[in-house]
């Protein structure tokens, strides 16, 4: 189920589904951390993290928020933000941009 679907509540996921999403987001996050334009990604992450902090007073309770900012993810009472605020959705979109970038040839370096 897509995180942005109407009525989707990330808190209704099973523990197994949450662990699979965490694994997927971690893998994508690692790939994103190796891109050439890391400073631009960092700026987008900071903007998104600030937006979430401003919108959700309980932002520290969200497991994927902590993965997003590089903090400890365990023992959080909530998993991900709903709808367009979803960390999973943000990381998936950034990863999709990375996958769709034209490949650079060795001669271009």
């Amino acid at each position: 189920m897509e995180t942005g679907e109407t009525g989707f509540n990330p808190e209704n996921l099973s523990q197994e589904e949450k662990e699979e999403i965490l694994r997927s987001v971690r893998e994508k996050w690692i790939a994103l951390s190796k891109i050439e334009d890391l400073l631009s990604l960092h700026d987008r992450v900071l903007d998104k993290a600030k937006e979430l902090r401003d919108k959700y007073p309980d932002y520290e309770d969200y497991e994927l928020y902590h993965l997003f900012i590089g903090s400890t993810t365990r023992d959080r009472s909530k998993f991900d933000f709903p709808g367009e605020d979803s960390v999973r959705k943000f990381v998936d979109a950034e990863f999709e941009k990375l996958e769709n970038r034209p490949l650079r040839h060795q001669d271009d370096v």
Side-chain angles (χ1 to χ4, degrees):
M1 181 173 279
E2 184 62 33
T3 307
E5 289 183 27
T6 303
F8 175 72
N9 183 350
E11 300 312 312
N12 291 336
L13 296 169
S14 70
Q15 187 58 37
E16 184 176 293
E17 290 170 316
K18 288 178 181 180
E19 287 174 9
E20 175 59 27
I21 291 169
L22 273 170
R23 183 199 57 73
S24 174
V25 171
R26 271 192 196 104
E27 287 175 1
K28 290 174 181 175
W29 204 231
I30 289 168
L32 285 167
S33 71
K34 297 176 182 177
I35 66 173
E36 296 166 19
D37 193 13
L38 189 56
L39 289 177
S40 177
L41 174 63
H42 180 26
D43 288 345
R44 290 190 302 278
V45 168
L46 288 177
D47 290 345
K48 181 68 173 180
K50 182 183 181 326
E51 175 186 320
L52 293 170
R53 285 191 314 266
D54 291 347
K55 187 171 183 179
Y56 296 91
D58 60 346
Y59 68 93
E60 290 185 339
D61 295 340
Y62 290 83
E63 193 166 354
L64 284 185
Y65 175 82
H66 286 276
L67 176 66
F68 189 55
I69 64 167
S71 182
T72 305
T73 59
R74 294 288 177 212
D75 299 324
R76 304 296 172 181
S77 62
K78 298 178 182 177
F79 186 65
D80 193 10
F81 302 95
E84 295 300 315
D85 294 330
S86 168
V87 169
R88 175 187 177 196
K89 190 171 187 169
F90 178 88
V91 172
D92 284 349
E94 290 295 325
F95 189 75
E96 188 175 313
K97 288 179 199 174
L98 176 65
E99 286 188 318
N100 293 328
R101 282 181 27 196
L103 294 175
R104 289 182 55 185
H105 291 54
Q106 190 69 2
D107 297 338
D108 295 340
V109 179

